[in-house]
């Protein structure tokens, strides 16, 4: 969704739109954002500066980091962005309101609202995403999904650092 900068007055411009499905890859994972409804408010702070607030609700398809099964995560977030059309290096850059380095530069005659939603979704992704809080993951030996039940692997939790102490137990018996 694009908004022409020239159409933004000092009163708040309010609207809603549906974000088209987006997909991207990061660190070997594939993400798909879909069914995303967005509402926005934008108003002019000064001749070159704007305040944008967006709220989105949607779904994100991804894979569990423990068991690698695909699942869907519900998303809902609200965020604000300060925008400027005047680069920092130019005279008057940073505005009289003191936005300084906090404002993001808008290049061209349009503000691309979709970009800020997708950027926010990507920034707010957790480092590890589990399909459920009690996900058991995969067997480290055979790769079986432990959520489906235990595997047939014999798991021996023997730490080689204890071998010297075990030899003392053998001598005592």
């Amino acid at each position: 969704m694009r908004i022409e900068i020239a159409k933004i007055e000092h009163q708040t411009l309010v609207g809603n739109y549906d974000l088209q499905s987006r997909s991207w890859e990061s660190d070997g994972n594939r993400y798909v954002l879909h069914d995303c409804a967005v509402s926005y408010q934008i108003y002019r702070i000064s001749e070159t500066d704007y305040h944008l607030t967006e709220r989105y609700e949607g779904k994100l398809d991804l894979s569990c980091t423990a068991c690698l099964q695909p699942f869907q995560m519900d998303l809902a977030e609200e965020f604000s962005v300060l925008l400027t059309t005047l680069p920092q290096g130019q005279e008057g850059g940073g505005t009289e309101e003191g936005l300084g380095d906090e404002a993001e530069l808008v290049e061209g005659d349009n503000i691309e609202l979709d970009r800020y939603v997708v950027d926010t979704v990507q920034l707010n992704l957790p480092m590890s995403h589990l399909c459920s809080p009690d996900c058991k993951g995969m067997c480290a030996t055979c790769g079986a999904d432990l959520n489906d039940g235990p595997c047939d692997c014999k798991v021996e939790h023997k730490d080689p650092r204890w071998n010297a102490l075990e030899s003392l137990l053998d001598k005592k018996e």
Side-chain angles (χ1 to χ4, degrees):
M1 168 90 178
R2 289 183 182 161
I3 295 182
E4 286 183 51
I5 293 174
K7 292 185 177 181
I8 303 170
E9 301 294 328
H10 286 285
Q11 68 224 28
T12 302
L13 180 62
V14 178
N16 298 303
Y17 68 96
D18 292 326
L19 181 70
Q20 290 183 358
S21 183
R22 302 285 170 102
S23 63
W24 67 91
E25 290 191 24
S26 176
D27 297 327
N29 296 314
R30 181 168 172 76
Y31 302 94
V32 179
L33 176 64
H34 58 91
D35 299 332
C36 193
V38 181
S39 60
Y40 65 89
Q41 296 179 356
I42 188 166
Y43 62 90
R44 184 183 298 255
I45 298 171
S46 69
E47 284 303 311
T48 59
D49 300 321
Y50 306 87
H51 183 263
L52 170 66
T53 300
E54 288 190 273
R55 173 157 179 66
Y56 63 88
E57 291 184 25
K59 302 201 179 292
L60 184 67
D61 293 340
L62 43 97
S63 297
C64 179
T65 53
C67 68
L68 303 179
Q69 294 298 316
F71 75 102
Q72 213 170 66
M73 178 187 288
D74 290 328
L75 302 173
E77 187 77 35
E78 183 173 320
F79 64 92
S80 294
V81 181
L82 298 171
L83 305 169
T84 186
T85 57
L86 193 58
Q88 289 296 320
Q90 291 186 7
E91 188 174 319
T95 78
E96 67 240 22
E97 278 76 17
L99 298 179
D101 294 332
E102 297 174 15
E104 186 167 331
L105 179 63
V106 176
E107 296 177 3
D109 297 331
N110 297 307
I111 296 174
E112 193 70 43
L113 298 179
D114 297 356
R115 182 184 132 213
Y116 299 107
V117 172
V118 174
D119 287 352
T120 301
V121 169
Q122 291 174 342
L123 287 171
N124 289 331
L125 278 175
M127 291 297 286
S128 89
H129 20 83
L130 299 176
C131 57
S132 69
D134 58 343
C135 179
K136 296 176 181 151
M138 297 171 56
C139 173
T141 305
C142 69
D145 186 350
L146 298 176
N147 294 313
D148 296 337
C151 64
D152 295 330
C153 295
K154 182 179 178 189
V155 179
E156 193 173 308
H157 297 291
K158 196 170 186 181
D159 190 338
R161 295 174 290 185
W162 291 102
N163 289 343
L165 290 173
E166 281 183 4
S167 67
L168 292 174
L169 286 175
D170 292 338
K171 289 179 184 177
K172 190 175 183 181
E173 292 174 358

